[in-house]
Amino acid sequence: MTASTTTVRSPESRSTAPHAPGIPTTGSPTADRSPLSDGPQAVPPTATTTELRARFAPVFEQIAAGALERERTRTLPRAEIRALAEAGFGRLRLPHDVGGFGASIPQLAALLVDLATADSNCAQIWRGHIAFVEDLLVTPHTGFRDRWLPRITAGAVIGNAWTEIGDVERGTLRTRIRTRDEVAEVTGEKFYSTGSIYADYADTTVADDAGVRHVALIPLDQPGVEVSDDWDGFGQRLTGTGTTRFTAARLDPRDVIPFSDRFRYQSALYQLVLLATQAGIATAVARDAACAVAARERSYSHGNADRVRDDPQILQIIGEAEAAAFTARAVVASAAEAVQRAHDTALSGVPETASETDTEQSSDADTAANHAATLAVSQAQVALTRLVPEAAGRVFDALGSSAVREAAGLDRHWRNARTVGSHNPWVYKARLVGDHTVNGTAPEYQFAIGTVSTEAGDSATASAGT
């Protein structure tokens, strides 16, 4: 089924989080509430991963129950994303004292794996939101942070609008921002705008008339914004990874910060979300394959047992799938620890009274942590991009021709895994890891995409939206 190109901005796709002052909106602010006591499963200020999982498990179960039907009918998971927002998924990383759960990056990654096991689309949809919240935690722009923390706590969902396609020069942006009379306006077009169709704001990369890059948070519920569900990839079909057009879209200038000030480990975090999505797909593959084998009554005369569930060759395939899922989850957990260390060094900062030596040591520690995070997620990507699709394809050897019927929907796991694995090609990451291993070459933090008609563009424009 091909993607619809109909612009979708219906009321049920939006949260009721407050918008920027002076910007038209049909929503109303969400009432203040205690985010840790609402809902069926409260969690303490220092929650364990088990306690956080208990909080979100009922929502994940509901999402899993409808995943196959949504895939068949290409129904966007609007209600599911709204349920996650209302349960507090978007404020997982916020500190407890500002209304969040205080989750660590490894805890966030574990929950993303659980969500991706339920529906891999739903996990990837949160990618832009997760990165924006992370930036709030370490940004030097305290006024910007204080302005946005209450919005996230109130349930605002942030989408992504970074990548421009076509013949745009690598390292440059065509999307422009202009400010006059205390109102900023953005005009331009983005693709791969994952999650924006479900969001209240788009985290958008823009350039001013001098070509300086900025990050702008643009309210999506206004006449100057058109968000289209025209993503036509064969996998991850429901992520809303389509086109967003801005035509003099308005925003408050206070919602604009320099791109150069974004957190250093952002590419590692963006990749970690995709790794967690892959691990969730692998877990779903093992789950669905095991259930199908257990339920299968027909067996082959040249098989090894009268019941398929007793056939040692079939059990080997299921065991391999389960081992792949275990490996994927372990790899994600390890990579998440490395990203957490990059966060910790960014958060520690340098005291005003620090000596020159202290400053250099702090900077060295931060650089080392960012190198380690980049290498960790790169190695994980190299491994999982091949491991998970292979496992998703291999399970068909255990199930026979009935498994390839559309009603079974098992093909979605391979399609989704292959699509996730096509983001930011792993072959280049493997080369970077090899260069570091052999020559000690420091890995890059950011990666750009575009054409090169002059000198190669500055690699500060990340491809996080792809």
Side-chain angles (χ1 to χ4, degrees), residues 205-286:
T205 49
V206 298
D208 60 23
D209 288 338
V212 178
R213 287 179 287 270
H214 303 273
V215 173
L217 275 294
I218 302 175
L220 295 174
D221 185 19
Q222 59 170 303
V225 177
E226 179 184 358
V227 184
S228 299
D229 181 29
D230 56 350
W231 167 239
D232 59 355
F234 63 64
Q236 295 295 94
R237 293 173 172 174
L238 309 180
T239 55
T241 306
T243 302
T244 301
R245 296 181 181 88
F246 303 107
T247 306
R250 304 179 70 196
L251 68 154
D252 193 305
R254 291 177 296 175
D255 294 331
V256 182
I257 58 175
F259 181 89
S260 58
D261 291 339
R262 287 276 289 201
F263 64 111
R264 294 176 75 186
Y265 56 97
Q266 62 181 318
S267 287
L269 184 67
Y270 278 119
Q271 193 62 55
L272 181 64
V273 175
L274 297 180
L275 293 171
T277 303
Q278 289 279 35
I281 293 171
T283 303
V285 166

Side-chain angles (χ1 to χ4, degrees), residues 188-201:
E189 182 174 301
K190 302 288 187 175
F191 196 62
Y192 300 116
S193 46
T194 302
S196 288
I197 206 165
Y198 307 97
D200 303 289
Y201 301 87

Side-chain angles (χ1 to χ4, degrees), residues 305-316:
D306 291 335
R307 295 194 309 174
V308 177
R309 64 189 303 157
D310 297 326
D311 191 316
Q313 285 187 283
I314 303 304
L315 293 178
Q316 176 184 343

Side-chain angles (χ1 to χ4, degrees), residues 131-167:
F132 176 73
V133 169
E134 192 69 24
D135 191 50
L136 290 181
L137 299 179
V138 299
T139 182
H141 301 278
T142 56
F144 181 82
R145 180 191 63 218
D146 294 344
R147 179 173 168 79
W148 276 93
L149 285 177
R151 295 180 181 179
I152 300 300
T153 301
V157 177
I158 312 300
N160 169 78
W162 277 33
T163 303
E164 299 176 9
I165 60 175
D167 60 353

Side-chain angles (χ1 to χ4, degrees), residues 5-96:
T5 57
T6 302
T7 299
V8 183
R9 291 299 305 161
S10 57
E12 66 271 20
S13 71
R14 301 188 297 267
S15 82
T16 55
H19 289 257
I23 304 301
T25 176
T26 58
S28 59
T30 299
D32 291 339
R33 62 184 184 273
S34 172
L36 302 183
S37 61
D38 57 344
Q41 178 65 50
V43 297
T46 54
T48 66
T49 303
T50 299
E51 289 166 333
L52 288 171
R53 279 177 157 154
R55 161 84 182 199
F56 292 98
V59 184
F60 293 168
E61 290 170 3
Q62 292 174 4
I63 289 172
L68 181 54
E69 183 62 22
R70 288 192 299 275
E71 179 75 19
R72 287 177 184 153
T73 60
R74 204 181 186 284
T75 300
L76 298 179
R78 299 186 184 282
E80 289 71 22
I81 298 303
R82 181 52 35 214
L84 285 165
E86 291 175 355
F89 195 80
R91 47 191 162 94
L92 272 168
R93 286 278 290 143
L94 294 188
H96 181 264

